[in-house]
């Protein structure tokens, strides 16, 4: 199984004989082949990363994340130019039909609510919230919903969901341990989605629903929606409360999400591999090569299955 490198005390990341060379604060060196690496997260803001090391990560399609002083991923190492038909892919992306964008977003929100309900049934006794979200999910199956209705359903369901899962006092985007854990987990999943997007020759800025001029990753933030409940589930298992610090142990637990076993078209694969399939399905749908975007469904077996 590939490893996630969590470099908290790394002094330097460089290359030696086509492998990554990691030097720690005591000048101890460790060499690891890229085929054995699933992702790299650098927690030390003073770590020196050589350009050959960054290029090797890009060539090997290894997500490389550098965290800030608050331990949140702040830098993503991506290559936008490796696809052989980059201009063709981005031109097609710009010209995706509005109707297909609408249908894709509607499908994503349907799956998101399905997954939120799955998490609530697993953890929460709040039957009222489950019943209300179920009603909203049923409304998404109605025809002729306008974009504002989808947005309202998603927004209200999210508020019901988070309060049922983390308590009535919980507020998203507050400065507390739960929010720090959620943000970290979402960033980890987002990094893998970004790698899949750029690998297909698409540009992550060009979203189907998110269109902020200040957001570099609109498309990734569209596609991640169905996967957010997996992060929520992991954070819930940590038994964090609003007063607890977000620790190194919590961050390592969230990194293991990439190994989480999920079902993709009735096959058990790791989340990282499922994201590649999901992105391919999405692109085929937008190009009218298939009629549906298949969901990612996860199981509750232990991490480590592939």
């Amino acid at each position: 199984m590939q490893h996630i490198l969590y470099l908290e005390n790394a002094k330097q990341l460089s290359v030696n004989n086509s492998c990554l060379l990691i030097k720690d604060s005591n000048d101890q060196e460790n060499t690891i082949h890229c085929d054995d690496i699933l992702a790299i997260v650098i927690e030390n803001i003073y770590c020196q990363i050589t350009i050959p090391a960054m290029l090797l990560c890009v060539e090997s399609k290894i997500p490389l994340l550098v965290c800030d002083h608050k331990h949140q991923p702040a830098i993503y190492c991506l290559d936008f130019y490796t696809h052989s038909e980059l201009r063709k892919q981005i031109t097609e992306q710009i010209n995706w039909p509005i109707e297909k964008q609408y249908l894709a977003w509607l499908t994503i929100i349907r799956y998101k609510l399905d997954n939120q309900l799955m998490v609530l049934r697993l953890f929460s006794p709040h039957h009222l919230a489950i019943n209300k979200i179920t009603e909203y999910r049923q409304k998404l199956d109605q025809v002729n919903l306008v974009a504002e209705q989808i947005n309202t359903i998603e927004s209200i369901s999210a508020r019901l969901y988070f309060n049922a899962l983390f308590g009535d006092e919980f507020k998203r985007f507050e400065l507390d341990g739960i929010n720090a854990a959620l943000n970290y987990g979402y960033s980890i999943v987002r990094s893998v989605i970004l790698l899949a997007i750029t690998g297909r020759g698409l540009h992550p800025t060009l979203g189907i629903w998110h269109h902020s001029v200040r957001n570099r990753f609109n498309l990734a933030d569209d596609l991640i929606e169905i996967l957010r409940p997996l992060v929520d589930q992991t954070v819930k298992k940590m038994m964090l409360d609003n007063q607890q610090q977000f620790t190194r142990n919590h961050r390592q637990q969230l990194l293991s999400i990439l190994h989480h076993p999920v079902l993709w078209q009735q096959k058990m694969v790791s989340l990282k591999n499922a994201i590649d399939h999901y992105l391919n399905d999405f692109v085929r749908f937008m190009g009218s090569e298939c009629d549906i975007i298949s969901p990612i469904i996860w199981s509750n077996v232990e991490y480590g299955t592939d």
Side-chain angles (χ1 to χ4, degrees):
M1 184 175 69
Q2 292 178 308
H3 303 287
I4 300 170
L5 297 187
Y6 181 78
L7 305 181
E8 189 177 27
N9 299 306
K11 180 179 179 181
Q12 185 181 70
L13 185 65
S14 59
V15 175
N16 181 35
N17 293 327
S18 300
C19 295
L20 286 174
L21 178 66
I22 305 162
K23 181 184 291 187
D24 66 19
S25 56
N26 297 317
D27 289 330
Q28 295 281 331
E29 295 184 347
N30 184 32
T31 302
I32 184 167
H33 196 278
C34 291
D35 289 344
D36 298 325
I37 303 172
L38 178 62
I40 302 173
V41 179
I42 298 178
E43 285 272 351
N44 181 10
I45 62 174
Y46 300 105
C47 178
Q48 296 178 349
I49 310 171
T50 67
I51 291 176
M54 288 190 287
L55 290 174
L56 184 59
C57 288
V58 167
E59 291 168 3
S60 304
K61 301 187 183 303
I62 298 171
L64 172 62
L65 288 79
V66 181
C67 298
D68 59 21
H69 65 285
K70 295 181 180 178
H71 306 290
Q72 290 294 334
I75 298 175
Y76 301 83
C77 187
L78 300 167
D79 187 350
F80 294 93
Y81 308 110
T82 55
H83 198 277
S84 60
E85 297 181 333
L86 183 64
R87 186 179 185 278
K88 175 178 178 291
Q89 293 296 105
I90 292 182
T91 300
E92 289 179 357
Q93 182 181 3
I94 292 171
N95 294 317
W96 281 340
I98 296 299
E99 181 183 353
K100 298 293 288 188
Q101 295 184 47
Y102 164 84
L103 290 174
W105 180 246
L106 177 60
T107 299
I108 287 170
I109 297 304
R110 283 170 174 164
Y111 291 155
K112 179 182 181 180
L113 264 63
D114 287 341
N115 291 335
Q116 286 179 337
L117 286 167
M118 188 183 306
V119 172
L120 287 183
R121 291 182 182 118
L122 182 63
F123 289 106
S124 175
H126 290 75
H127 299 295
L128 179 61
I130 291 173
N131 291 339
K132 290 295 294 183
I133 295 173
T134 300
E135 290 177 15
Y136 284 120
R137 172 61 183 87
Q138 291 169 350
K139 289 182 179 180
L140 290 175
D141 289 331
Q142 298 175 5
V143 295
N144 300 323
L145 286 176
V146 298
E148 289 76 12
Q149 289 174 304
I150 299 173
N151 188 46
T152 298
I153 287 172
E154 191 274 335
S155 178
I156 295 174
S157 296
R159 187 162 57 250
L160 290 167
Y161 166 76
F162 278 120
N163 287 342
L165 190 62
F166 296 118
D168 292 334
E169 300 302 315
F170 175 79
K171 292 182 180 179
R172 190 70 182 98
F173 307 114
E174 292 288 315
L175 299 177
D176 56 54
I178 294 175
N179 274 292
L182 292 173
N183 294 339
Y184 189 90
Y186 296 154
S187 294
I188 296 300
V189 176
R190 188 197 217 190
S191 71
V192 179
I193 295 174
L194 284 168
L195 196 65
I197 288 171
T198 55
R200 284 298 304 259
L202 304 176
H203 203 288
T205 302
L206 305 174
I208 59 171
W209 181 263
H210 294 86
H211 298 292
S212 172
V213 295
R214 295 183 176 87
N215 186 358
R216 299 162 293 165
F217 306 134
N218 285 309
L219 183 57
D221 288 341
D222 291 328
L223 296 172
I224 198 176
E225 291 297 335
I226 72 168
L227 299 175
R228 290 184 188 275
L230 177 54
V231 175
D232 307 335
Q233 171 181 311
T234 305
V235 172
K236 180 65 177 179
K237 286 182 178 179
M238 294 177 182
M239 303 298 290
L240 276 165
D241 61 46
N242 292 340
Q243 306 303 316
Q244 283 182 275
Q245 290 289 329
F246 182 48
T247 67
R248 178 180 187 273
N249 180 57
H250 294 138
R251 293 193 290 276
Q252 290 184 317
Q253 289 182 59
L254 285 163
L255 284 173
S256 67
I257 286 175
L258 299 183
H259 286 304
H260 193 97
V262 297
L263 280 172
W264 171 260
Q265 295 184 348
Q266 299 183 335
K267 294 180 181 179
M268 190 74 79
V269 297
S270 69
L271 176 63
K272 185 176 184 296
N273 290 337
I275 287 172
D276 288 331
H277 299 317
Y278 169 47
L279 195 281
N280 288 336
D281 224 30
F282 169 79
V283 173
R284 292 178 66 241
F285 177 83
M286 298 305 295
S288 299
E289 297 174 31
C290 67
D291 296 328
I292 62 170
I293 302 171
S294 299
I296 294 176
I297 304 171
W298 51 85
S299 67
N300 291 309
V301 301
E302 292 298 318
Y303 298 147
T305 301
D306 202 330

